[in-house]
Amino acid sequence: MAKLPKLQQSMSFIQTIRGASLDNGIRLTGEPLEQLHNPPKAPLRVDYRYTELALSMFIALEHSSESTYDKIRRVIEQCFPDAKLPSFHETKRILADLSGVTSIIKDMCINSCAAYVGPFANFDRSNGRVEHPRAVFHTIPIAPQLQSLWRHPESAEKMHYREQRTHQIFQELQRNDGLVDMYDDVFCGQAYLDVVTQNKIQKNDILLMLSIDGTQLYKSKDLECWIYIWIVLNLSPEYHYKKKHVLLGAIIPGPKKPKIIDSFLFPGLHHLSAVQREGLCIWDTSQDCEFISWLFLFLACADGPGLLTLSNFIGHQGKNGCWMLCPLNGHRKPSAPQYYPVLLKPDDYNVRGCDHPDINVYDIGPSNSHVYIQRLLHLLNSPTQHVYETQCLETGIVGPSILLGLQPQLIQGIPEVFSSEMMHLSGANMAALWLNLWHGKFDCAPTDSQANWDWAIFKDIATWEAHGCAVAACRMCLPGSFDVAPHDPSLHANSWYKATEYITWIYSLCPALLYGILPKHFWRNFCKFVAGLQIMAQYSITPAQLQRACQLIAEWEPEFERIFYQCRVDRIPFIHLCVHLTCHLASEATRVGSPICSSQWTMERTIGNLGQEIRQPSDPFSNLAQQGIRHCQVNALKAMTPHFDPPENVSPRASADLGNGYVLLAKCDKHLTTVHGDDARVIADYLGLPCTPKIRHWAHLRLPNGQISRSEYQELQCAPEDICMARNVKVRQSLK
């Protein structure tokens, strides 16, 4: 139906993906292709001991160079002349053969414009076919990686989590009159329960989440790279976000952002669509049976720019800029092109097309796939560029989503497949909005006056520096579970402050530190936001907590508009899209589970892990691709042979296991000592002994949740500013 060339191009990609098969152009041939149809029906065994030793060395030296491997190999062969270890490159080949994971290599434009795939396979440049392109990119097929997760009883048993959790949830619904005990996974959401009830998902099917993001490889260089990953939702949340369970999809090299992102997503989605059409043959080693699994794309997660690459929506400054295509139309300043998602109509406002009355915050629920398809059909029928631009404004869509190419019965609809993204909302967008308000960094219209911005408390340098000192002074009182403690923001806020630092600073410290500094009505509004956001950031949310968060956010947003924007036309830009998206958090939790389970934290960690692996700064993209492929192959090998993946939480040397997950860690006294005074009496009473036994002081205690508590035995030897008081254990004796 598409009339315009750009829309025809997008539909061509979609139609090719929709008709994909495993034999038509994904370049999996020979044994890898045969294994998709006939997976091995026995656990993987490495029979030759020196091959196993070489693989163990290769995995252990993950962050080391090829020369380090060769040096250790030579030392072993000198000590044991009979040992014949394979070389580094031979070990890489063995790893690829055993894992069954390989990459699809496609040609691309050297300037990252497009990949020569699908409709562009015979792309013509300079009046001649490109015979020797100067750049390639790698796509790692998902199917072989998924098959490896079922190849050993231990890893296969983990893949049964979805089936077991689904059974538990339906029992909870019967017991609680339709309510779950806790929103702690995507399976608790109504969207998943609906597709299960409709038999669109069977017990052997695999649920996936796609996550995409762009990143700068170096802070000092303009080298942009795009990466997407697959997260296997069949695994428990305690597993599916970890490095060894994240499946890499593709690494799209720069140096610039891809112009036609659909062409780079094409190989991976083509492969997924083919597997969706034909089914993936799985050998479940835990139950010694074979079955066909259907891959269901349940969620697609990204930040703002990343989401536009998947959705082809108009963006945050469009009239319909919401990620979920909700019915809210934005307002704009007269003669300005940017729209803002304002609920309250500005005073004396009559801009044509967006002069609708006030919107109730409870009336902004998400749209659905039926509305999306109707809007898309109108867009595709645009006969001219002018009509197309008008339809873009009215529909909130600039083109069809590449995800339409997947099999429609095995994907949530659009926009249902997209949801709120908690990490960037809290750690970047809303954090930046609050700081811009407090610093008074918004452009002040001629009809406004910054002298009236009594919320801009940090315009005063002395107040800002005093606040920075207060933040730094809180470091010693923050538990280690808060990750990186924020530094003095007046000195470091522009020096690559991390998202976790912003979250701790803005939402943990500022409610207390700004009391009495921020005018009371602004402070109370801020605290409502923080209280609601803290609930939504929990891994587990009870229905009562969710109702409370919904109430807090519903009160906060209109109040935020009244006290900052004040229904003034010149302050419309104060209301960013992140303000509106916050209102969707509670309803999205009931639809797809706790927002933290579908956030970009996993993607960001993957980017950080891969970035550490770059060994060739002169050719970082190619090196990053090879490290990504190696990462997938090692993960597949660990899934098939878990002894290559020793436990992470092993008790270190000179520790003492107390049982029940408690472990004493060094340092400790070399000799037993005698305790006197009140300490001796308390210990004797606790142990029920007539006299106090001799004791040994220990510095650290590892708790069952993995956190480390510290005793004053060693802490008092540190400088006062280095003591972390929150890591001490305080024991109180009840008074009778």
Side-chain angles (χ1 to χ4, degrees):
M1 296 179 58
K3 303 291 193 301
L4 300 181
K6 180 180 178 180
L7 298 177
Q8 290 174 349
Q9 171 187 292
S10 297
M11 288 306 301
S12 180
F13 277 110
I14 290 169
Q15 291 168 343
T16 306
I17 292 173
R18 180 69 68 85
S21 72
L22 289 173
D23 299 314
N24 68 355
I26 62 171
R27 290 191 182 178
L28 279 184
T29 59
E31 187 175 347
L33 181 59
E34 173 63 22
Q35 188 166 309
L36 289 185
H37 297 296
N38 299 291
K41 296 178 174 58
L44 178 66
R45 299 186 186 280
V46 182
D47 296 326
Y48 189 51
R49 60 176 179 170
Y50 292 128
T51 299
E52 184 166 342
L53 175 59
L55 289 170
S56 298
M57 286 171 47
F58 188 86
I59 294 172
L61 297 173
E62 177 183 12
H63 301 293
S64 301
S65 63
E66 178 182 344
S67 62
T68 303
Y69 175 92
D70 289 333
K71 289 176 183 178
I72 296 176
R73 172 174 166 257
R74 286 195 296 269
V75 170
I76 293 176
E77 290 179 344
Q78 288 174 1
C79 295
F80 305 97
D82 293 337
K84 299 299 180 183
L85 297 179
S87 67
F88 182 84
H89 293 285
E90 289 172 336
T91 304
K92 284 180 63 177
R93 179 182 54 78
I94 293 170
L95 174 63
D97 292 341
L98 291 176
S99 67
V101 175
T102 185
S103 69
I104 301 170
I105 304 175
K106 295 292 184 180
D107 301 328
M108 59 173 281
C109 170
I110 193 172
N111 292 318
S112 311
C113 298
Y116 306 142
V117 298
F120 294 168
N122 298 319
F123 188 74
D124 197 86
R125 186 173 62 181
S126 301
N127 297 320
R129 181 172 176 175
V130 180
E131 298 292 348
H132 302 288
R134 297 163 59 193
V136 297
F137 78 102
H138 293 259
T139 299
I140 306 171
I142 187 176
Q145 300 184 72
L146 290 173
Q147 284 181 323
S148 70
L149 297 177
W150 299 86
R151 187 84 184 272
H152 189 276
E154 182 179 320
S155 55
E157 189 60 38
K158 293 179 182 178
M159 290 292 288
H160 286 286
Y161 165 79
R162 182 183 70 83
E163 177 187 353
Q164 298 163 0
R165 183 71 179 113
T166 302
H167 180 68
Q168 292 175 357
I169 291 172
F170 276 102
Q171 288 182 329
E172 292 175 10
L173 294 175
Q174 290 181 343
R175 186 174 63 246
N176 301 334
D177 295 327
L179 289 177
V180 296
D181 291 341
M182 199 81 65
Y183 293 96
D184 58 0
D185 203 347
V186 295
F187 307 138
C188 303
Q190 193 61 46
Y192 171 76
L193 298 175
D194 286 344
V195 292
V196 171
T197 304
Q198 298 164 11
N199 292 321
K200 291 183 179 180
I201 297 178
Q202 305 294 327
K203 71 171 187 175
N204 292 327
D205 296 343
I206 298 175
L207 255 68
L208 299 172
M209 180 169 76
L210 172 64
S211 183
I212 188 170
D213 201 1
T215 182
Q216 291 287 344
L217 295 186
Y218 301 104
K219 298 178 182 178
S220 57
K221 296 181 181 180
D222 187 18
L223 294 176
E224 187 168 1
C225 175
W226 281 73
I227 299 171
Y228 70 82
I229 60 175
W230 304 99
I231 297 171
V232 183
L233 298 177
N234 285 49
L235 295 167
S236 166
E238 65 178 303
Y239 294 120
H240 71 222
Y241 71 89
K242 291 191 174 181
K243 176 181 178 181
K244 61 184 178 182
H245 295 302
V246 173
L247 310 183
L248 188 61
I251 294 177
I252 305 170
K256 300 176 182 178
K257 179 181 178 180
K259 289 185 179 179
I260 306 178
I261 190 70
D262 287 358
S263 63
F264 292 96
L265 297 173
F266 176 85
L269 295 181
H270 184 281
H271 172 74
L272 175 60
S273 179
V275 176
Q276 286 183 328
R277 288 187 68 196
E278 302 179 19
L280 180 62
C281 191
I282 298 288
W283 179 261
D284 182 355
T285 316
S286 67
Q287 298 184 3
D288 194 22
C289 67
E290 186 179 65
F291 58 84
I292 299 296
S293 180
W294 305 97
L295 311 185
F296 193 103
L297 181 62
F298 189 70
L299 285 173
C301 183
D303 62 358
L307 183 113
L308 298 184
T309 66
L310 295 175
S311 66
N312 252 339
F313 291 166
I314 199 167
H316 67 282
Q317 291 188 332
K319 185 177 180 180
N320 294 275
C322 178
W323 293 2
M324 285 155 273
L325 291 184
C326 76
L328 175 66
N329 289 329
H331 292 287
R332 63 181 176 88
K333 297 171 67 174
S335 303
Q338 298 88 4
Y339 289 81
Y340 297 89
V342 179
L343 294 181
L344 306 180
K345 181 181 177 180
D347 296 333
D348 301 321
Y349 185 80
N350 58 358
V351 176
R352 183 179 178 182
C354 53
D355 57 349
H356 52 271
D358 295 352
I359 302 294
N360 190 316
V361 69
Y362 290 105
D363 294 337
I364 55 172
S367 185
N368 56 59
S369 55
H370 299 292
V371 173
Y372 170 77
I373 292 299
Q374 290 175 358
R375 294 185 183 183
L376 180 60
L377 291 176
H378 286 299
L379 186 74
L380 293 176
N381 276 316
S382 302
T384 65
Q385 183 67 23
H386 175 72
V387 174
Y388 166 76
E389 292 174 357
T390 302
Q391 290 294 342
C392 287
L393 178 66
E394 295 302 322
T395 63
I397 306 170
V398 298
S401 169
I402 187 70
L403 298 181
L404 288 173
L406 299 178
Q407 303 307 308
Q409 74 278 14
L410 292 172
I411 178 177
Q412 276 206 89
I414 296 173
E416 292 95 333
V417 73
F418 307 119
S419 184
S420 54
E421 203 292 288
M422 191 67 175
M423 176 193 151
H424 289 91
L425 174 67
S426 60
N429 302 326
M430 282 303 304
L433 177 61
W434 288 116
L435 291 175
N436 286 339
L437 287 170
W438 297 336
H439 282 281
K441 288 187 176 180
F442 282 94
D443 291 336
C444 184
T447 53
D448 199 358
S449 172
Q450 288 190 348
N452 297 326
W453 293 3
D454 47 354
W455 63 78
I457 52 176
F458 292 151
K459 286 183 64 178
D460 179 62
I461 299 300
T463 303
W464 172 231
E465 291 179 349
H467 176 76
C469 292
V471 171
C474 292
R475 293 185 63 198
M476 63 182 295
C477 299
L478 287 173
S481 58
F482 277 63
D483 196 60
V484 179
H487 297 78
D488 183 342
S490 66
L491 302 175
H492 301 280
N494 294 323
S495 302
W496 294 88
Y497 230 50
K498 292 185 177 181
T500 50
E501 291 181 273
Y502 277 118
I503 290 172
T504 302
W505 168 28
I506 303 295
Y507 310 124
S508 296
L509 301 181
C510 280
L513 297 181
L514 296 185
Y515 179 74
I517 298 175
L518 192 65
K520 190 171 183 179
H521 57 296
F522 296 114
W523 178 82
R524 289 177 61 87
N525 178 259
F526 172 64
C527 288
K528 282 184 182 179
F529 172 81
V530 171
L533 192 73
Q534 286 180 345
I535 294 174
M536 299 311 306
Q538 296 175 180
Y539 281 96
S540 299
I541 307 173
T542 66
Q545 289 174 328
L546 188 59
Q547 185 177 10
R548 175 60 176 161
C550 180
Q551 178 185 357
L552 286 167
I553 294 173
E555 292 176 3
W556 161 76
E557 207 280 351
E559 184 180 279
F560 179 88
E561 292 192 13
R562 284 193 293 271
I563 63 178
F564 288 103
Y565 143 65
Q566 298 177 1
C567 295
R568 294 178 53 154
V569 174
D570 53 3
R571 290 187 184 175
I572 287 178
F574 282 22
I575 310 303
H576 289 189
L577 179 62
C578 55
V579 175
H580 168 75
L581 291 176
T582 302
C583 299
H584 282 295
L585 287 177
S587 61
E588 283 299 286
T590 62
R591 191 178 73 87
V592 292
S594 173
I596 204 71
C597 294
S598 56
S599 71
Q600 283 286 80
W601 288 110
T602 306
M603 181 78 250
E604 293 297 326
R605 184 181 292 111
T606 301
I607 290 174
N609 290 335
L610 290 174
Q612 293 175 353
E613 306 299 326
I614 298 177
R615 295 287 180 270
Q616 296 176 355
S618 60
D619 190 10
F621 300 118
S622 177
N623 187 243
L624 184 64
Q626 294 303 317
Q627 294 296 341
I629 296 167
R630 171 178 169 177
H631 165 85
C632 294
Q633 292 170 343
V634 168
N635 284 351
L637 183 66
K638 288 179 178 180
M640 293 186 288
T641 51
H643 69 269
F644 282 113
D645 183 31
E648 300 176 356
N649 212 17
V650 177
S651 298
R653 186 175 61 87
S655 63
D657 192 340
L658 302 179
N660 297 324
Y662 292 91
V663 181
L664 290 168
L665 305 175
K667 296 181 177 180
C668 66
D669 285 336
K670 293 183 178 180
H671 305 288
L672 295 173
T673 60
T674 302
V675 184
H676 302 283
D678 292 338
D679 292 345
R681 179 179 55 79
V682 171
I683 293 174
D685 289 346
Y686 178 78
L687 297 176
L689 298 176
C691 59
T692 307
K694 291 185 177 181
I695 67 168
R696 190 188 308 277
H697 290 98
W698 289 79
H700 307 108
L701 174 69
R702 188 172 69 201
L703 306 178
N705 61 5
Q707 295 184 22
I708 306 296
S709 62
R710 302 167 182 248
S711 70
E712 66 175 19
Y713 164 65
Q714 281 291 311
E715 287 296 296
L716 292 184
Q717 299 181 24
C718 301
E721 62 273 13
D722 294 331
I723 297 176
C724 190
M725 302 300 294
R727 293 186 183 179
N728 292 322
V729 176
K730 182 182 292 186
V731 180
R732 293 182 178 178
Q733 185 179 21
S734 60
L735 300 176
K736 297 182 180 179

